[in-house]
Amino acid sequence: MNRAQLSQLAVLAIVAETASFRKAAAELGIAPSAVSHAVSALEESLGIRLLARTTRSVSPTQEGRQLLATLTPALAEIGAALDTLSETRSRPAGTLRITLPRLAAEHLIAPRLGEFSLVYPDIALELVANDSFEDIVEQGFDAGLRLGEHLEADMVAVKASGMWRGAIVAAPRYFERYPVPTQPSDLMAHRCIRRRFASGRIYRWELEKDGKAVVVDVAGTLTLPDDRAILAACLDGAGLAFVFETRIQDELADRRLIRVMEDWCEPFDGFYIYYPTRRQMRPALRAFVDFFRHKG
């Protein structure tokens, strides 16, 4: 590979990302004709058509997709290495994109963002609340937060919280109509508020007692998309809910909610910050991980 091909490969990656020679030219600050020439020269030197072009669209060919599958991560790593080099000369800086569930954003990250901004004023932090399990590399995130049980084996994981625990609760008026459940099989006779994730999957309640794990596909006439809606419906007497106990401390204390089957809700591993294994780790990401890692 000659030096010209290095720059041509970088141009190819931008064209594929933007799906447009004109948009790629604007991003690179060069003429569209120069972009087209760079891609054509690369294709000619390789003897392979890398992009399929029409008057309205540009998309990679099969060979182009194969090349980009290796090229895109390699360019990202080169970019990270350059960022690291520049950041070592000053305090951590740059943009960080973090994906995480809304619960983690509200309870773990948001309460400390004021302090983080004071300590690292040059880091531009973008939090994207999403309960689906995204490929953080493919989606362009620097890191994510997830429960330990959902982490991929090839990710670096740093603990961001202590143990967490679920709670089965209902409003007092619900128990005026229904008996108190004491074991998982009792739940099938109750109106349980179910949750549907963005992926379309309905959450099945995961319970455990004395090392015995049980997964219950609860029944109910109400299916909601997130913890906030579930909690509001539960407080209104709509049914039993399975929520994180950290969300309902006040409601339990003033008896707006009654907790049941506590012996079936054992603590489990909490949230982790996770990110891809890289030889070079940007100082901005290192600062985020060190700041929000669990100290307990």
Side-chain angles (χ1 to χ4, degrees), residues 222-238:
L222 192 58
T223 303
L224 299 175
D226 57 52
D227 289 342
R228 287 181 176 181
I230 290 172
L231 182 55
C234 183
L235 286 165
D236 200 42

